[in-house]
Amino acid sequence: VHNVKLNGRKLRVGSMRDIGRRKRLQKQLERQIQLLKKRNIEIAKGNVRIFQLTEKIRNTPEFARAILAAESEDEILERAKEMLTDKQGLNYKDVVFYIKEGDYLVPRTSTDDAKHKRVSIRDNNRLAKILRGDVEDVQTRPGEELIALKGRKRLIGVLQVFFDENERLMFADSETVRAEQHNILKTLAGIMALTIANLRLFRQVERQSVIDQLTGVHNRRYFDRKILQEIDRVQRYGRDLSLVYLDMANLKEINDQHGHDQG
């Protein structure tokens, strides 16, 4: 609308046009821009997810090498804890290892300060159910994974993993990525469990090789190894070494009359 003078007269001149089509095109363009932004955000999230999964997969061989090089069960658990929570590596927030000892799951290694209690393997506790394989009946909490530690068909324990919150939110809306995350943890848990089972088996065989099954005392193989160690020791420190022989007279008659346990 414009106010004008024409031949001494005041006039008001106005014009009108339909901009409905332009408005509709504008809204359509805004929707397309929002959709494009959303797609770009999803692509960015997807790239981050792929990167995080790739990093975890890339660190799996290093995890395996570190675990296999451990010489004791405690060392296996300690190395696994450090690598699982390494910010530059697998990047999990917290881990707790529950190891089966008799009829209980005992917390052996943990990264947080919470007091974790032992759990009876016969209870309806979530950890006990995971150990027994009743996974369908277990409700995991947000940002948590429970993985059974089983090696050579032996129940070793349960691994409890807590995710970093940002990572949890990143994985939450992708079932496929969450499943892949679970599979990575199962692989890591399997490496741990198999290593522990092999170590226990080695210790058992090693003990059986030097212990007489009937009497429970050390055998000739142990004696040969131990006497060489003692000879090395006395030579190193310049000491004397004495070896005492005991001959049990009439031991056969005692065994025959009273039995080997008495003998």
Side-chain angles (χ1 to χ4, degrees), residues 127-142:
L127 298 170
K129 289 180 179 179
I130 288 290
L131 184 73
R132 296 194 300 261
D134 305 335
V135 291
E136 299 296 331
D137 194 29
V138 175
Q139 294 294 325
T140 56
R141 297 162 184 167

Side-chain angles (χ1 to χ4, degrees), residues 247-257 259-260 262-263:
D247 180 22
M248 305 295 294
N250 303 320
L251 180 59
K252 183 178 184 306
E253 286 78 1
I254 293 175
N255 287 334
D256 292 342
Q257 293 181 26
H260 288 278
Q262 187 66 25

Side-chain angles (χ1 to χ4, degrees), residues 8-172:
R9 298 178 63 185
K10 294 181 179 180
L11 299 176
R12 181 166 295 169
V13 179
S15 63
M16 183 184 297
R17 63 176 177 175
D18 183 5
I19 60 172
R21 182 172 180 272
R22 192 184 75 180
K23 287 288 186 181
R24 288 192 297 272
L25 288 174
Q26 182 179 343
K27 289 182 178 180
Q28 183 179 356
L29 182 60
E30 288 174 351
R31 285 196 298 269
Q32 290 176 346
I33 291 173
Q34 291 299 325
L35 183 60
L36 186 60
K37 284 182 178 179
K38 186 176 180 180
R39 286 178 179 174
N40 287 337
I41 290 172
E42 289 302 317
I43 290 172
K45 283 184 177 180
N47 289 337
V48 172
R49 293 190 193 106
I50 292 171
F51 173 77
Q52 289 175 330
L53 284 177
T54 302
E55 283 297 292
K56 294 182 188 302
I57 294 171
R58 186 178 65 83
N59 280 278
T60 299
E62 185 179 347
F63 178 90
R65 284 192 294 271
I67 297 303
L68 291 171
E71 297 182 355
S72 69
E73 198 167 311
D74 287 337
E75 189 178 354
I76 290 172
L77 298 177
E78 193 62 33
R79 288 190 178 188
K81 179 189 74 173
E82 291 175 359
M83 297 198 68
L84 286 169
T85 56
D86 183 2
K87 297 298 182 184
Q88 305 303 319
L90 293 162
N91 192 35
Y92 295 107
K93 181 181 178 182
D94 294 310
V95 296
V96 186
F97 298 109
Y98 289 87
I99 303 301
K100 182 178 177 292
E101 296 181 7
D103 292 334
Y104 290 92
L105 281 170
V106 179
R108 286 270 296 276
T109 306
S110 172
T111 51
D112 58 19
D113 296 327
K115 296 295 184 182
H116 302 284
K117 298 180 179 179
R118 69 176 188 170
V119 175
S120 171
I121 62 174
R122 295 186 175 84
D123 285 350
N124 286 325
N125 183 281
R126 298 181 312 134
L127 298 170
K129 289 180 179 179
I130 288 290
L131 184 73
R132 296 194 300 261
D134 305 335
V135 291
E136 299 296 331
D137 194 29
V138 175
Q139 294 294 325
T140 56
R141 297 162 184 167
E144 174 200 56
E145 279 280 1
L146 296 172
I147 309 290
L149 296 171
K150 294 183 180 180
R152 296 185 178 276
K153 299 182 180 180
R154 296 183 179 183
L155 299 174
I156 305 295
V158 176
L159 168 62
Q160 186 177 32
V161 175
F162 298 95
F163 293 88
D164 178 86
E165 183 63 15
N166 292 330
E167 188 171 289
R168 182 187 75 80
L169 294 174
M170 188 66 65
F171 286 123

Side-chain angles (χ1 to χ4, degrees), residues 5-10:
K5 279 187 177 182
L6 183 63
N7 298 327
R9 298 178 63 185
K10 294 181 179 180

